[in-house]
Coordinates of all heavy atoms in Angstrom, one line a residue:
E360 N -7.1 -11.6 6.8 CA -6.3 -12.1 5.7 C -5.1 -11.2 5.5 O -5.2 -10.0 5.6 CB -7.0 -12.2 4.4 CG -8.2 -13.3 4.4 CD -9.1 -13.0 3.2 OE1 -8.8 -13.3 2.1 OE2 -10.1 -12.3 3.5
S361 N -4.0 -11.9 5.1 CA -2.8 -11.1 4.8 C -2.1 -11.8 3.6 O -2.3 -13.1 3.5 CB -1.9 -11.1 6.0 OG -0.7 -10.4 5.7
L362 N -1.4 -11.1 2.8 CA -0.5 -11.8 1.8 C 0.9 -11.3 1.9 O 1.2 -10.2 1.5 CB -1.1 -11.5 0.3 CG -0.3 -12.3 -0.8 CD1 -0.6 -13.8 -0.7 CD2 -0.7 -11.8 -2.2
V363 N 1.7 -12.2 2.5 CA 3.1 -11.8 2.7 C 4.0 -12.0 1.4 O 3.9 -13.1 0.9 CB 3.7 -12.7 3.9 CG1 5.1 -12.2 4.2 CG2 2.8 -12.6 5.1
L364 N 4.7 -11.0 1.0 CA 5.5 -11.1 -0.2 C 6.9 -10.8 0.2 O 7.2 -9.8 0.9 CB 5.0 -10.2 -1.3 CG 3.6 -10.3 -1.8 CD1 3.3 -9.2 -2.8 CD2 3.3 -11.7 -2.3
A365 N 7.9 -11.5 -0.3 CA 9.3 -11.2 -0.2 C 10.0 -12.3 -1.0 O 9.6 -13.5 -0.9 CB 9.8 -11.2 1.2
G366 N 11.0 -11.9 -1.8 CA 11.6 -12.8 -2.8 C 11.0 -12.6 -4.1 O 9.8 -12.7 -4.3
T367 N 11.9 -12.2 -5.1 CA 11.3 -11.6 -6.4 C 12.2 -12.0 -7.5 O 13.5 -12.1 -7.4 CB 11.4 -10.1 -6.3 OG1 10.6 -9.7 -5.2 CG2 10.8 -9.4 -7.6
T368 N 11.6 -12.2 -8.7 CA 12.4 -12.2 -10.0 C 11.6 -11.5 -11.0 O 10.4 -11.5 -11.0 CB 12.7 -13.8 -10.3 OG1 13.5 -13.7 -11.6 CG2 11.4 -14.5 -10.7
A369 N 12.3 -11.1 -12.0 CA 11.6 -10.4 -13.1 C 10.9 -11.5 -14.0 O 11.4 -12.7 -14.0 CB 12.5 -9.6 -14.0
R370 N 9.9 -11.3 -14.7 CA 9.3 -12.3 -15.7 C 10.3 -12.6 -16.8 O 11.1 -11.7 -17.2 CB 8.0 -11.7 -16.3 CG 6.9 -11.4 -15.4 CD 6.3 -12.8 -14.8 NE 5.8 -13.7 -15.9 CZ 4.6 -13.7 -16.4 NH1 3.7 -12.9 -15.9 NH2 4.2 -14.6 -17.3
G371 N 10.2 -13.7 -17.4 CA 11.1 -14.1 -18.4 C 10.6 -13.5 -19.8 O 9.5 -13.0 -19.9
T372 N 11.5 -13.6 -20.7 CA 11.2 -13.0 -22.1 C 10.5 -14.0 -23.0 O 9.9 -13.6 -24.0 CB 12.5 -12.5 -22.7 OG1 13.5 -13.5 -22.6 CG2 13.0 -11.2 -22.1
T373 N 10.6 -15.3 -22.7 CA 9.9 -16.3 -23.4 C 9.1 -17.2 -22.4 O 9.6 -17.2 -21.2 CB 10.9 -17.2 -24.2 OG1 11.7 -17.9 -23.3 CG2 11.6 -16.4 -25.2
P374 N 8.2 -18.0 -22.8 CA 7.6 -18.9 -21.8 C 8.6 -19.9 -21.1 O 8.5 -20.1 -19.9 CB 6.6 -19.7 -22.7 CG 6.2 -18.8 -23.8 CD 7.5 -18.0 -24.1
T375 N 9.6 -20.4 -21.9 CA 10.5 -21.3 -21.2 C 11.4 -20.5 -20.2 O 11.6 -21.0 -19.1 CB 11.5 -21.8 -22.4 OG1 10.7 -22.2 -23.5 CG2 12.3 -23.0 -21.9
D376 N 11.8 -19.3 -20.6 CA 12.6 -18.5 -19.7 C 11.8 -18.1 -18.5 O 12.3 -18.2 -17.3 CB 13.0 -17.2 -20.5 CG 13.8 -16.3 -19.7 OD1 14.6 -16.8 -18.7 OD2 13.7 -15.0 -19.9
D377 N 10.5 -17.8 -18.7 CA 9.6 -17.5 -17.6 C 9.5 -18.7 -16.6 O 9.6 -18.4 -15.3 CB 8.2 -17.2 -18.2 CG 7.4 -16.2 -17.3 OD1 8.1 -15.3 -16.7 OD2 6.2 -16.3 -17.3
T378 N 9.3 -19.8 -17.1 CA 9.2 -21.0 -16.2 C 10.5 -21.3 -15.5 O 10.5 -21.6 -14.3 CB 8.8 -22.3 -17.1 OG1 7.7 -21.9 -17.9 CG2 8.5 -23.4 -16.2
A379 N 11.6 -21.1 -16.2 CA 13.0 -21.4 -15.6 C 13.2 -20.4 -14.5 O 13.6 -20.7 -13.4 CB 14.0 -21.2 -16.7
R380 N 12.7 -19.1 -14.7 CA 12.9 -18.1 -13.6 C 12.1 -18.4 -12.4 O 12.5 -18.2 -11.2 CB 12.6 -16.7 -14.2 CG 13.7 -16.1 -15.0 CD 13.1 -14.8 -15.7 NE 14.2 -14.2 -16.4 CZ 15.0 -13.2 -15.9 NH1 14.8 -12.8 -14.7 NH2 15.9 -12.7 -16.6
A381 N 10.8 -18.8 -12.7 CA 9.9 -19.1 -11.5 C 10.4 -20.3 -10.7 O 10.5 -20.2 -9.5 CB 8.5 -19.4 -12.1
D382 N 11.0 -21.3 -11.5 CA 11.6 -22.5 -10.7 C 12.8 -22.0 -9.9 O 12.9 -22.5 -8.8 CB 12.0 -23.5 -11.8 CG 10.8 -24.2 -12.5 OD1 9.7 -24.0 -12.0 OD2 10.9 -24.9 -13.5
R383 N 13.6 -21.2 -10.5 CA 14.8 -20.7 -9.8 C 14.4 -20.0 -8.6 O 15.0 -20.1 -7.5 CB 15.7 -19.9 -10.7 CG 16.7 -20.7 -11.6 CD 17.9 -19.8 -12.0 NE 17.5 -18.6 -12.7 CZ 17.2 -18.6 -14.0 NH1 17.3 -19.7 -14.7 NH2 17.0 -17.4 -14.6
L384 N 13.4 -19.1 -8.7 CA 12.9 -18.3 -7.5 C 12.5 -19.2 -6.4 O 12.8 -19.1 -5.3 CB 11.9 -17.3 -7.9 CG 11.2 -16.5 -6.8 CD1 12.2 -15.6 -6.1 CD2 10.0 -15.8 -7.3
F385 N 11.6 -20.2 -6.9 CA 11.1 -21.1 -5.8 C 12.1 -21.9 -5.1 O 12.0 -22.2 -3.9 CB 10.0 -22.1 -6.5 CG 9.2 -22.8 -5.6 CD1 8.1 -22.1 -5.0 CD2 9.3 -24.1 -5.3 CE1 7.3 -22.7 -4.0 CE2 8.5 -24.7 -4.4 CZ 7.5 -24.0 -3.8
D386 N 13.2 -22.3 -5.8 CA 14.3 -23.0 -5.2 C 15.4 -22.3 -4.6 O 16.4 -22.8 -4.0 CB 14.9 -24.0 -6.3 CG 13.9 -25.0 -6.7 OD1 12.9 -25.4 -5.9 OD2 14.0 -25.5 -7.9
S387 N 15.3 -20.9 -4.7 CA 16.5 -20.0 -4.3 C 16.6 -20.0 -2.8 O 15.7 -19.4 -2.1 CB 16.3 -18.6 -5.0 OG 16.9 -17.7 -4.2
A388 N 17.7 -20.4 -2.2 CA 17.9 -20.3 -0.8 C 17.9 -18.9 -0.3 O 17.3 -18.5 0.7 CB 19.2 -21.0 -0.5
K389 N 18.5 -18.0 -1.2 CA 18.6 -16.6 -0.8 C 17.1 -16.0 -0.7 O 16.8 -15.3 0.3 CB 19.4 -15.8 -1.8 CG 19.5 -14.4 -1.7 CD 18.9 -13.7 -2.9 CE 18.7 -12.2 -2.7 NZ 17.7 -11.7 -3.6
D390 N 16.3 -16.3 -1.7 CA 14.9 -15.7 -1.7 C 14.0 -16.4 -0.7 O 13.2 -15.7 0.0 CB 14.3 -15.8 -3.1 CG 15.0 -14.9 -4.1 OD1 14.6 -13.7 -4.0 OD2 15.8 -15.3 -4.9
R391 N 14.3 -17.6 -0.4 CA 13.5 -18.3 0.7 C 13.9 -17.7 2.0 O 13.0 -17.5 2.9 CB 13.9 -19.8 0.7 CG 13.3 -20.6 -0.4 CD 11.8 -20.8 -0.2 NE 11.2 -21.6 -1.2 CZ 10.6 -22.8 -0.9 NH1 10.5 -23.2 0.3 NH2 10.1 -23.4 -1.9
E392 N 15.1 -17.3 2.2 CA 15.5 -16.7 3.5 C 14.8 -15.3 3.6 O 14.3 -15.0 4.7 CB 17.1 -16.6 3.5 CG 17.6 -16.0 4.9 CD 19.0 -15.6 4.9 OE1 19.7 -15.8 3.9 OE2 19.5 -15.1 5.9
E393 N 14.9 -14.6 2.5 CA 14.3 -13.2 2.5 C 12.8 -13.4 2.9 O 12.2 -12.6 3.6 CB 14.3 -12.7 1.1 CG 15.1 -11.5 0.9 CD 15.0 -11.0 -0.5 OE1 15.8 -11.5 -1.4 OE2 14.1 -10.2 -0.9
H394 N 12.1 -14.4 2.3 CA 10.7 -14.6 2.6 C 10.4 -15.1 4.0 O 9.5 -14.7 4.6 CB 10.2 -15.6 1.6 CG 8.7 -15.7 1.6 ND1 7.9 -14.8 0.9 CD2 7.8 -16.5 2.3 CE1 6.6 -15.1 1.2 NE2 6.6 -16.1 2.0
R395 N 11.3 -16.0 4.4 CA 11.1 -16.6 5.8 C 11.0 -15.5 6.9 O 10.1 -15.5 7.7 CB 12.2 -17.6 6.1 CG 12.0 -18.4 7.3 CD 13.0 -19.6 7.4 NE 14.4 -19.2 7.1 CZ 15.2 -18.5 7.9 NH1 14.8 -18.2 9.1 NH2 16.4 -18.2 7.5
Y396 N 11.9 -14.5 6.8 CA 11.9 -13.5 7.8 C 10.5 -12.8 7.9 O 10.0 -12.5 8.9 CB 13.0 -12.4 7.5 CG 14.4 -12.9 7.8 CD1 15.4 -12.9 6.8 CD2 14.8 -13.3 9.1 CE1 16.7 -13.3 7.0 CE2 16.1 -13.6 9.3 CZ 17.1 -13.6 8.3 OH 18.3 -14.1 8.6
A397 N 10.0 -12.5 6.7 CA 8.7 -11.8 6.6 C 7.6 -12.6 7.1 O 6.7 -12.2 7.9 CB 8.5 -11.3 5.2
A398 N 7.5 -13.9 6.6 CA 6.4 -14.7 7.0 C 6.4 -15.0 8.5 O 5.4 -15.0 9.2 CB 6.5 -16.0 6.2
E399 N 7.6 -15.3 9.1 CA 7.7 -15.6 10.5 C 7.3 -14.4 11.4 O 6.6 -14.5 12.4 CB 9.1 -16.0 10.9 CG 9.4 -17.4 10.4 CD 10.9 -17.9 10.6 OE1 11.6 -17.1 11.2 OE2 11.1 -19.1 10.4
M400 N 7.7 -13.2 11.0 CA 7.3 -12.0 11.8 C 5.8 -11.8 11.7 O 5.2 -11.5 12.8 CB 8.0 -10.8 11.2 CG 7.8 -9.5 12.0 SD 6.3 -8.6 11.4 CE 6.3 -7.1 12.4
V401 N 5.2 -12.0 10.5 CA 3.7 -11.8 10.5 C 3.0 -12.9 11.4 O 2.1 -12.6 12.2 CB 3.2 -11.9 9.0 CG1 1.7 -12.0 8.9 CG2 3.8 -10.6 8.2
R402 N 3.5 -14.1 11.3 CA 3.0 -15.2 12.2 C 3.1 -14.7 13.6 O 2.1 -14.8 14.4 CB 3.7 -16.5 11.9 CG 3.2 -17.7 12.6 CD 4.2 -18.8 12.7 NE 5.4 -18.3 13.5 CZ 6.6 -18.8 13.3 NH1 6.8 -19.8 12.4 NH2 7.7 -18.3 14.0
D403 N 4.3 -14.3 14.1 CA 4.5 -13.9 15.5 C 3.7 -12.8 15.9 O 3.2 -12.7 17.0 CB 6.0 -13.6 15.7 CG 6.9 -14.8 15.5 OD1 6.4 -16.0 15.4 OD2 8.1 -14.7 15.4
A404 N 3.5 -11.8 15.0 CA 2.7 -10.6 15.3 C 1.2 -10.9 15.5 O 0.5 -10.4 16.3 CB 3.0 -9.5 14.4
L405 N 0.7 -11.9 14.6 CA -0.7 -12.1 14.6 C -1.1 -13.2 15.6 O -2.2 -13.2 16.1 CB -1.2 -12.6 13.2 CG -1.1 -11.5 12.1 CD1 -1.6 -12.1 10.7 CD2 -2.0 -10.3 12.5
T406 N -0.2 -14.1 16.0 CA -0.6 -15.2 16.9 C -1.2 -14.7 18.2 O -2.3 -15.2 18.5 CB 0.7 -16.0 17.2 OG1 1.2 -16.6 16.0 CG2 0.4 -17.2 18.2
P407 N -0.7 -13.7 18.9 CA -1.4 -13.3 20.1 C -2.8 -12.7 19.9 O -3.6 -12.5 20.8 CB -0.4 -12.2 20.7 CG 0.8 -12.2 19.8 CD 0.5 -13.0 18.6
L408 N -3.0 -12.2 18.6 CA -4.3 -11.6 18.4 C -5.4 -12.6 17.9 O -6.6 -12.2 17.7 CB -4.1 -10.5 17.3 CG -3.0 -9.5 17.5 CD1 -3.1 -8.5 16.3 CD2 -3.2 -8.7 18.8
C409 N -5.0 -13.8 17.6 CA -5.9 -14.7 16.9 C -6.3 -16.0 17.7 O -5.4 -16.5 18.4 CB -5.3 -15.1 15.6 SG -5.2 -13.8 14.4
S410 N -7.5 -16.5 17.5 CA -7.9 -17.8 18.1 C -7.4 -18.9 17.1 O -7.2 -20.0 17.5 CB -9.4 -17.9 18.3 OG -10.0 -17.6 17.1
H411 N -7.4 -18.5 15.8 CA -7.0 -19.5 14.8 C -6.1 -18.7 13.8 O -6.5 -17.6 13.4 CB -8.2 -20.1 14.1 CG -7.9 -20.6 12.8 ND1 -7.3 -21.9 12.7 CD2 -8.0 -20.1 11.6 CE1 -7.1 -22.1 11.4 NE2 -7.5 -21.1 10.7
L412 N -5.0 -19.3 13.4 CA -4.2 -18.6 12.4 C -3.5 -19.7 11.5 O -2.9 -20.6 12.0 CB -3.1 -17.8 13.1 CG -2.2 -17.0 12.2 CD1 -2.9 -15.7 11.7 CD2 -0.9 -16.4 12.9
H413 N -3.6 -19.4 10.2 CA -3.0 -20.4 9.3 C -2.0 -19.7 8.5 O -2.3 -18.7 7.7 CB -4.0 -21.0 8.3 CG -3.4 -21.9 7.3 ND1 -2.8 -23.2 7.7 CD2 -3.1 -21.8 6.0 CE1 -2.3 -23.7 6.6 NE2 -2.4 -22.9 5.6
V414 N -0.7 -20.1 8.6 CA 0.4 -19.6 7.8 C 1.0 -20.8 7.1 O 1.4 -21.7 7.8 CB 1.5 -18.9 8.7 CG1 2.7 -18.4 7.8 CG2 1.0 -17.9 9.6
P415 N 1.0 -20.8 5.8 CA 1.5 -22.0 5.0 C 3.0 -22.3 5.4 O 3.7 -21.4 5.6 CB 1.3 -21.6 3.6 CG 1.0 -20.2 3.5 CD 0.6 -19.7 4.9
A416 N 3.3 -23.6 5.4 CA 4.7 -24.0 5.7 C 5.6 -23.6 4.6 O 6.8 -23.3 4.9 CB 4.7 -25.5 5.9
E417 N 5.1 -23.5 3.4 CA 6.0 -23.1 2.2 C 5.3 -22.0 1.5 O 4.1 -22.0 1.3 CB 6.0 -24.3 1.3 CG 7.0 -25.4 1.5 CD 7.6 -25.9 0.2 OE1 6.9 -25.9 -0.8 OE2 8.8 -26.1 0.2
P418 N 6.1 -21.1 0.9 CA 5.5 -20.0 0.1 C 5.0 -20.6 -1.2 O 5.4 -21.7 -1.6 CB 6.6 -19.0 -0.1 CG 7.9 -19.8 0.1 CD 7.6 -20.9 1.0
E419 N 4.1 -19.8 -1.9 CA 3.8 -20.2 -3.3 C 4.3 -19.0 -4.2 O 4.9 -18.1 -3.7 CB 2.3 -20.3 -3.4 CG 1.5 -19.2 -2.9 CD -0.1 -19.5 -2.8 OE1 -0.4 -20.4 -2.1 OE2 -0.8 -18.7 -3.4
L420 N 4.0 -19.2 -5.5 CA 4.5 -18.1 -6.4 C 3.3 -17.2 -6.8 O 2.2 -17.7 -7.1 CB 5.0 -18.8 -7.7 CG 6.3 -19.5 -7.6 CD1 6.6 -20.3 -8.9 CD2 7.5 -18.6 -7.2
L421 N 3.5 -15.9 -6.8 CA 2.5 -14.9 -7.2 C 3.1 -14.3 -8.5 O 4.1 -13.7 -8.5 CB 2.3 -13.8 -6.2 CG 1.4 -12.7 -6.7 CD1 -0.1 -13.2 -6.6 CD2 1.6 -11.5 -5.8
T422 N 2.4 -14.5 -9.6 CA 2.9 -14.1 -10.9 C 2.2 -12.8 -11.3 O 1.0 -12.8 -11.5 CB 2.7 -15.2 -12.0 OG1 3.4 -16.3 -11.5 CG2 3.3 -14.7 -13.3
L423 N 3.0 -11.7 -11.5 CA 2.4 -10.4 -11.9 C 2.8 -10.2 -13.4 O 3.7 -10.9 -13.9 CB 2.9 -9.3 -11.0 CG 2.5 -9.4 -9.5 CD1 3.2 -8.4 -8.7 CD2 1.0 -9.3 -9.4
P424 N 2.3 -9.2 -14.0 CA 2.8 -9.0 -15.5 C 4.3 -8.7 -15.6 O 4.8 -9.0 -16.6 CB 2.0 -7.8 -15.9 CG 0.7 -7.8 -15.0 CD 1.2 -8.3 -13.7
N425 N 4.9 -8.1 -14.6 CA 6.3 -7.8 -14.7 C 7.2 -8.6 -13.8 O 8.5 -8.6 -13.9 CB 6.5 -6.2 -14.4 CG 5.9 -5.8 -13.1 OD1 5.2 -6.5 -12.5 ND2 6.5 -4.7 -12.6
L426 N 6.7 -9.2 -12.7 CA 7.5 -9.8 -11.7 C 6.8 -11.1 -11.2 O 5.6 -11.3 -11.3 CB 7.6 -8.9 -10.4 CG 8.2 -7.5 -10.6 CD1 7.9 -6.7 -9.4 CD2 9.8 -7.7 -10.7
I427 N 7.7 -12.0 -10.5 CA 7.1 -13.1 -9.8 C 7.7 -13.0 -8.4 O 8.8 -12.6 -8.1 CB 7.6 -14.4 -10.4 CG1 7.3 -14.5 -12.0 CG2 6.9 -15.6 -9.8 CD1 8.0 -15.7 -12.7
H428 N 6.8 -13.2 -7.4 CA 7.1 -13.1 -6.0 C 6.9 -14.4 -5.3 O 6.0 -15.2 -5.7 CB 6.3 -12.1 -5.2 CG 6.5 -10.7 -5.6 ND1 7.7 -10.0 -5.5 CD2 5.6 -9.7 -6.1 CE1 7.6 -8.8 -5.9 NE2 6.3 -8.5 -6.2
L429 N 7.6 -14.7 -4.2 CA 7.3 -15.7 -3.2 C 6.2 -15.1 -2.4 O 6.3 -14.0 -1.9 CB 8.5 -16.1 -2.4 CG 9.7 -16.8 -3.1 CD1 10.8 -17.1 -2.1 CD2 9.2 -18.1 -3.8
A430 N 5.1 -15.9 -2.2 CA 3.9 -15.3 -1.5 C 3.4 -16.3 -0.4 O 3.3 -17.5 -0.7 CB 2.9 -15.0 -2.5
S431 N 3.1 -15.8 0.7 CA 2.4 -16.7 1.8 C 1.1 -16.0 2.1 O 1.0 -15.0 2.8 CB 3.2 -16.7 3.0 OG 4.4 -17.5 2.8

Side-chain angles (χ1 to χ4, degrees):
E360 289 163 83
S361 177
L362 183 67
V363 182
L364 302 180
T367 304
T368 186
R370 293 292 302 271
T372 46
T373 63
T375 317
D376 179 31
D377 207 32
T378 309
R380 280 170 175 271
D382 290 348
R383 270 204 305 278
L384 174 66
F385 196 72
D386 294 336
S387 151
K389 175 240 166 210
D390 287 283
R391 285 290 184 115
E392 184 189 0
E393 243 183 276
H394 189 83
R395 188 171 43 79
Y396 287 121
E399 285 179 355
M400 183 273 184
V401 169
R402 183 200 61 206
D403 293 349
L405 292 179
T406 298
L408 309 182
C409 290
S410 55
H411 159 82
L412 185 71
H413 177 73
V414 182
E417 276 222 321
E419 54 190 56
L420 293 172
L421 175 75
T422 304
L423 300 171
N425 56 342
L426 296 166
I427 309 172
H428 290 302
L429 292 180
S431 289

